[in-house]
Amino acid sequence: MSTEKNMIRRGFLSQAIVGLGLLSLGGCSKIAATSWGRSILHSVEALTRRAQRLFFSRSALAPEFAESDLSPVFKANGTQSPDDAHFQALAANNFVDYRLEIDGLVERPAKLSLPELRALPAREQITRHDCVEGWSCIGKWKGVKLGALLDSAGLKRNARYVVFHCFDVLEKSPDGTGIYYESIDLVDAFHPQTILAYEMNGVTLPLAHGAPLRLRLERQLGYKMAKYIRRIEVVESFAGFGRGNGGFWEDRGYEWYAGI
Ligand SMILES: Nc1nc2c(c(=O)[nH]1)N[C@H]1C(S)=C(S)[C@@H](COP(=O)(O)O)O[C@H]1N2
Ligand SMILES: [Mo]
């Protein structure tokens, strides 16, 4: 929590410095004409560059909103109820038999029930979801911090990416490459706003939005945020999954890093 506060503070600080830098560069033609003026300007520029690097760094937080900003209707997109028979059976029984599998390059592979996931460190956030199709909605999400989950599983030294395997087949293709999957790197996996959400807008995550567990990755576009997560696999390379580009939509031409 304290590192998070530091990051927010750092965000504000760097914004303020950028602001100062811009302000002082505003009417600066006279100052720049003197040698002390030039050295001041140079140090301001150096500060601005440093501030921008901090501000735009991968660890910066996505904006968070107030309850009053919540979208009255949050659009559901892509799969809204996976056909998979095993999934349908789990859903029919309120996901009491659901187990999230964590394996791959971890010291302690695990199968976790929803109560077990709810007992791990959680975070709640109100954020804006941006879909590549051009719509946005603001929603409130609560879930287990992916970083805490990975820490409890213990990453092996060669771990580099986290692959999310989903229950839904979005495209019927005989070679099995139509199953929804996604991947992110460890920087994003340990970002403080990266959570596996089991609640949305104060209630249990609805089926259309990815029940029982979906990724929230607030610095990237909507298609990165895998719904209906069945299994998390920690890997060194995502080359062997789907058609090798790191995700269902990436295999169909979208960017792997969909930063916003
Ligand atoms: N498993 C799975 N995850 C998915 C999708 C999907 O079809 N299947 N669609 C993606 C896209 S394009 C978007 S915009 C969001 C939609 O999330 P929502 O239904 O909560 O709006 O989920 C993403 N995650
Ligand atoms: Mo999307």
Side-chain angles (χ1 to χ4, degrees):
M1 206 59 187
S2 69
T3 50
E4 222 172 277
K5 277 201 188 114
N6 279 338
M7 282 173 47
I8 293 174
R9 207 174 301 138
R10 214 169 63 185
F12 278 129
L13 198 69
S14 42
Q15 249 180 326
I17 295 172
V18 172
L20 267 178
L22 292 178
L23 262 182
S24 42
L25 289 174
C28 62
S29 52
K30 267 188 195 148
I31 301 175
T34 65
S35 65
W36 60 266
R38 266 195 299 277
S39 69
I40 288 179
L41 274 183
H42 281 144
S43 46
V44 168
E45 276 169 43
L47 259 180
T48 307
R49 269 199 304 278
R50 266 184 50 201
Q52 275 172 335
R53 264 206 298 277
L54 278 176
F55 187 58
F56 293 113
S57 82
R58 299 268 315 272
S59 58
L61 295 177
E64 294 192 13
F65 299 84
E67 297 267 345
S68 54
D69 299 317
L70 289 174
S71 300
V73 176
F74 197 111
K75 184 178 157 70
N77 204 31
T79 303
Q80 284 162 51
S81 177
D83 288 335
D84 181 81
H86 180 217
F87 178 88
Q88 287 294 339
L90 290 172
N93 197 21
N94 251 333
F95 295 106
V96 292
D97 298 318
Y98 171 81
R99 298 289 181 274
L100 171 70
E101 295 177 39
I102 303 184
D103 54 22
L105 301 175
V106 295
E107 303 291 349
R108 295 170 290 280
K111 292 184 179 180
L112 299 165
S113 68
L114 287 167
E116 285 168 330
L117 289 165
R118 281 177 177 271
L120 288 168
R123 191 180 200 278
E124 190 168 52
Q125 58 208 29
I126 300 179
T127 53
R128 196 186 66 216
H129 178 108
D130 297 316
C131 174
V132 71
E133 295 166 356
W135 55 270
S136 300
C137 289
I138 293 179
K140 180 162 82 171
W141 307 95
K142 184 179 178 187
V144 49
K145 296 176 79 152
L146 181 57
L149 190 61
L150 294 175
D151 276 341
S152 71
L155 294 182
K156 292 197 171 167
R157 284 189 60 176
N158 49 343
R160 286 197 62 193
Y161 301 99
V162 180
V163 176
F164 302 90
H165 298 280
C166 305
F167 278 104
D168 55 319
V169 178
L170 197 52
E171 188 183 274
K172 303 253 181 292
S173 46
D175 61 355
T177 59
I179 301 172
Y180 208 94
Y181 77 104
E182 258 303 338
S183 62
I184 62 174
D185 65 18
L186 293 184
V187 176
D188 272 341
F190 282 89
H191 185 283
Q193 288 169 320
T194 301
I195 60 173
L196 299 178
Y198 42 68
E199 274 181 27
M200 177 191 190
N201 294 341
V203 297
T204 303
L205 185 65
L207 193 58
H209 295 287
L213 208 60
R214 70 95 52 88
L215 179 65
R216 293 300 310 171
L217 177 72
E218 307 295 355
R219 299 286 310 278
Q220 295 203 48
L221 288 172
Y223 65 84
K224 295 295 296 183
M225 297 188 227
K227 307 197 284 187
Y228 315 110
I229 298 172
R230 177 175 64 80
R231 173 180 173 212
I232 290 179
E233 189 177 1
V234 179
V235 298
E236 192 167 8
S237 156
F238 51 72
F241 300 91
R243 298 176 191 164
N245 303 296
F248 176 89
W249 285 114
E250 289 85 332
D251 284 341
R252 287 152 186 83
Y254 286 52
E255 291 292 321
W256 178 77
Y257 192 80
I260 43 174

